[in-house]
Amino acid sequence: KSSAASDVYKRQVLNAIRSNPKITQKQLQEVTGITLGTIKRLLPRLQEKEKLERVGNRRSGQWKVND
């Protein structure tokens, strides 16, 4: 189940990651205005749908958006 609001959030998160693949969850919160809890929930969902991929490790890795 996907609401219109969560689609907007996903788009905002993916756009922010496209412009800065090394962005942190905290920075995503600042850039998008979405709460950290929601971001922590969205990222794994986007990874499950293979829209988003983590390249490298947690500390020095970066995000890759699969369009």
Side-chain angles (χ1 to χ4, degrees):
K1 116 188 153 143
S2 176
S3 71
S6 82
D7 287 344
V8 169
Y9 286 166
K10 286 174 192 163
R11 229 180 353 263
Q12 284 180 310
V13 165
L14 291 173
N15 286 337
I17 290 171
R18 273 188 201 99
S19 61
N20 177 9
K22 290 189 180 320
I23 199 165
T24 64
Q25 290 183 352
K26 183 89 179 109
Q27 289 169 322
L28 276 172
Q29 176 191 11
E30 290 161 9
V31 171
T32 62
I34 301 168
T35 66
L36 199 53
T38 301
I39 286 170
K40 286 179 186 290
R41 220 176 21 253
L42 277 178
L43 292 177
R45 285 187 193 160
L46 290 168
Q47 287 173 289
E48 280 166 24
K49 293 184 176 156
E50 297 183 2
K51 291 215 181 297
L52 192 60
E53 205 177 320
R54 186 73 182 170
V55 181
N57 64 33
R58 290 172 61 104
R59 186 123 185 97
S60 63
Q62 63 182 40
W63 295 104
K64 178 175 179 271
V65 178
N66 299 317
D67 291 309

